[in-house]
Amino acid sequence: MALQTLLRDFDGELLSAVPLRVEILRPDGQRAIDTTVTATAPGYYPLDYRLPKSSPTGRWLVRFRLWEQVLAGQHHFNVEEFTPQRLRLEVLPGQ
């Protein structure tokens, strides 16, 4: 999962000198990751996180904090099982 965050102040200016704490919480409330991300460009905070194959399905939560404490925002996303579509193929003799 590629998580890309643009961080702006109230005037719309990009922030880059501020460390951004990112927490990803599983549906049961347990922390999957809690890390601090630094900007790679003004206001741009990328984070690559690979969900383990054993990750529980359900509604996950990403929280963004500034200065380790101030909640800057949060976003929910769903993890679901992937079942590929199946095609039925019938082969008749003589065709």
Side-chain angles (χ1 to χ4, degrees):
M1 171 174 76
L3 184 63
Q4 301 173 8
T5 307
L6 286 176
L7 190 58
R8 297 178 183 268
D9 64 13
F10 289 111
D11 295 325
E13 298 295 322
L14 295 169
L15 297 176
S16 59
V18 179
L20 181 65
R21 181 174 163 199
V22 178
E23 297 173 281
I24 300 178
L25 303 175
R26 300 176 356 178
D28 61 2
Q30 298 265 339
R31 269 194 196 108
I33 188 174
D34 185 354
T35 188
T36 300
V37 182
T38 56
T40 58
Y44 178 67
Y45 294 79
L47 174 66
D48 288 322
Y49 175 71
R50 185 168 301 271
L51 290 171
K53 290 182 180 182
S54 62
S55 294
T57 58
R59 191 172 181 188
W60 289 54
L61 174 65
V62 180
R63 285 188 188 144
F64 305 96
R65 295 185 186 276
L66 301 174
W67 300 284
E68 297 293 323
Q69 298 297 324
V70 180
L71 184 63
Q74 61 185 23
H75 180 74
H76 290 276
F77 65 95
N78 289 320
V79 172
E80 299 175 354
E81 290 184 27
F82 174 74
T83 306
Q85 291 183 348
R86 296 179 182 227
L87 298 175
R88 182 178 173 152
L89 180 65
E90 188 175 336
V91 179
L92 301 175
Q95 290 186 343

